[in-house]
Amino acid sequence: MEESNSLKAVLFDLDGTLIDTAVEFIIIVKSMRDKYGLPTTSESKIRESVSDGANALIKLALEVDEFHPEFSFYRQTFLDMYKDLAGKKCKPYNGIRKSIKWLGEQEIKWGIATNKPRIYA
């Protein structure tokens, strides 16, 4: 009896599943802290905040909240830095390339999903 594969397609989340983009956010947060004379913070602390979005990373980077008079300026600075860096330092997680190759060999369609704005994806 021939076994059939019931799996028709696989969707990967872009950030934190398919690729490790945290390294880019680590660079940005450290750079912002340095620019404003703040002491460095640990990479693990930055990694923990990545999935909370840009506002959380700005809070971490500059120790300010959304009510700070310069918050929108800081946010735009952060986003501009990310736009310039996005995709340059990130890497696929271990095993992802092998998994995608296997999906292709099995003729299983795959795709990428993200809630990240297109300009940064």
Side-chain angles (χ1 to χ4, degrees):
M1 177 175 205
E2 189 175 318
E3 195 175 309
S4 72
N5 189 346
S6 62
L7 188 61
K8 302 293 181 208
V10 174
L11 286 176
F12 293 98
D13 179 42
L14 180 63
D15 296 308
T17 302
L18 191 64
I19 58 173
D20 181 5
T21 55
V23 66
E24 294 172 343
F25 295 113
I26 290 167
I27 292 168
I28 294 167
V29 167
K30 286 185 171 197
S31 175
M32 290 183 84
R33 289 186 70 82
D34 185 54
K35 179 178 180 177
Y36 290 97
L38 296 167
T40 192
T41 190
S42 73
E43 290 187 10
S44 63
K45 191 170 185 177
I46 299 168
R47 275 188 182 278
E48 290 171 12
S49 297
V50 166
S51 63
D52 295 330
N55 287 358
L57 289 168
I58 295 160
K59 289 177 188 179
L60 176 64
L62 301 178
E63 301 173 11
V64 297
D65 63 22
E66 292 95 343
F67 302 108
H68 188 282
E70 298 294 317
F71 191 84
S72 62
F73 171 78
Y74 297 145
R75 187 174 198 284
Q76 191 57 55
T77 300
F78 176 90
L79 293 173
D80 289 344
M81 292 173 75
Y82 185 50
K83 183 178 152 192
D84 290 341
L85 189 59
K88 294 180 180 164
K89 299 290 182 180
C90 63
K91 293 188 175 17
Y93 281 103
N94 290 335
I96 290 296
R97 287 187 172 118
K98 188 175 181 180
S99 297
I100 290 172
K101 182 179 180 203
W102 181 86
L103 290 170
E105 290 167 353
Q106 303 304 309
E107 298 182 358
I108 298 170
K109 295 177 182 177
W110 63 276
I112 300 169
T114 185
N115 64 350
K116 183 181 282 199
R118 182 181 296 265
I119 194 169
Y120 307 109

